Amino acid sequence: KNEVEQSPQNLTAQEGEFITINCSYSVGISALHWLQQHPGGGIVSLFMLSSGKKKHGRLIATINIQEKHSSLHITASHPRDSAVYICAAEYNNNDMRFGAGTRLTVKP
Amino acid sequence: GAGVSQSPSNKVTEKGKDVELRCDPISGHTALYWYRQRLGQGLEFLIYFQGNSAPDKSGLPSDRFSAERTGESVSTLTIQRTQQEDSAVYLCASSLVGGLGQPQHFGDGTRLSIL
């Protein structure tokens, strides 16, 4: 069983919609990463959180340490946001465990 | 600015051959990570280097896999006697320092295909 669970696996939205991707992890972590993988395969690190909330442009990431849960939100979604979004949990031994990813398609 | 550079971008080889993949991290980054992504699957952690410390090899899938890093510069990931299940994209990432949730900067990956 994967230690990091993401939902949904696939998400289709219309341009302008508010999007939420969820991530749950099973044990205590030192940090939670959100990554974006483009159709060509390149990966960009979006956020790294250990508590609270971070915002960058239309992207917002939150984490609840007690509930072992993080969310990635995209406001006013755009077709260029179409990508696979990956949640990764980093543990104190620098080991990382990755979720299976959420494939987001935003239609114009 | 210069990001993480990986080479080759693509590699096709026959089963049983050895392959060597290279990663040039961002200058000044002390931490370097190797990951693997098989087709249709998520990322797998392989190995982590932090400065001159002994690397964390806990993610290497078998003894056919090894990696080296000279100081805080280039790293090579070597796969000996390749098998078809080794076909994947191998990603390298670096961060300024390791651990404690430091942001990682990823290279474009090496797409390895074993015939």
Side-chain angles (χ1 to χ4, degrees):
Chain A
K1 183 176 184 294
N2 196 350
E3 296 170 22
V4 179
E5 299 286 342
Q6 274 187 247
S7 63
Q9 287 187 331
N10 292 283
L11 181 58
T12 300
Q14 287 298 131
E15 183 173 355
E17 286 185 359
F18 180 83
I19 287 162
T20 296
I21 300 171
N22 294 301
C23 175
S24 297
Y25 50 93
S26 57
V27 295
I29 61 172
S30 61
L32 191 290
H33 297 255
W34 281 101
L35 310 171
Q36 181 190 53
Q37 184 170 33
H38 290 278
I43 291 180
V44 174
S45 180
L46 297 175
F47 294 104
M48 174 271 300
L49 307 172
S50 54
S51 63
K53 174 180 172 179
K54 286 192 176 181
K55 183 175 189 293
H56 181 72
R58 294 181 295 106
L59 302 178
I60 303 167
T62 63
I63 188 168
N64 184 316
I65 299 298
Q66 286 73 31
E67 294 184 2
K68 297 184 176 62
H69 180 269
S70 176
S71 293
L72 175 68
H73 304 286
I74 305 175
T75 62
S77 59
H78 190 275
R80 64 174 175 267
D81 297 327
S82 297
V84 174
Y85 292 83
I86 302 168
C87 167
E90 181 175 356
Y91 297 93
N92 288 329
N93 63 354
N94 300 309
D95 196 7
M96 288 183 74
R97 291 287 183 263
F98 296 87
T102 295
R103 184 174 300 276
L104 171 67
T105 303
V106 181
K107 295 185 175 181
Chain B
V4 176
S5 176
Q6 290 187 244
S7 61
S9 55
N10 288 281
K11 177 72 176 178
V12 180
T13 193
E14 292 179 339
K15 177 182 170 182
K17 300 284 189 184
D18 297 352
V19 295
E20 189 174 277
L21 312 180
R22 177 186 169 108
C23 173
D24 282 275
I26 292 173
S27 178
H29 281 197
T30 64
L32 186 146
Y33 306 77
W34 282 99
Y35 301 97
R36 176 173 73 174
Q37 185 172 31
R38 291 169 164 169
L39 185 65
Q41 299 187 23
L43 285 168
E44 293 175 75
F45 166 78
L46 296 179
I47 189 169
Y48 159 67
F49 294 89
Q50 172 58 58
N52 294 315
S53 303
D56 173 4
K57 302 180 181 180
S58 60
L60 293 179
S62 78
D63 59 8
R64 295 186 296 103
F65 287 72
S66 63
E68 292 184 352
R69 188 183 186 195
T70 306
E72 296 181 355
S73 61
V74 171
S75 175
T76 55
L77 176 68
T78 301
I79 309 172
Q80 296 178 307
R81 306 181 303 281
T82 52
Q83 303 293 313
Q84 287 185 331
E85 67 257 25
D86 300 333
S87 295
V89 175
Y90 290 82
L91 288 158
C92 175
S94 70
S95 63
L96 192 58
V97 294
L100 299 177
Q102 293 297 315
Q104 297 183 21
H105 302 261
F106 284 81
D108 290 336
T110 293
R111 186 174 302 277
L112 177 63
S113 300
I114 309 299
L115 303 178

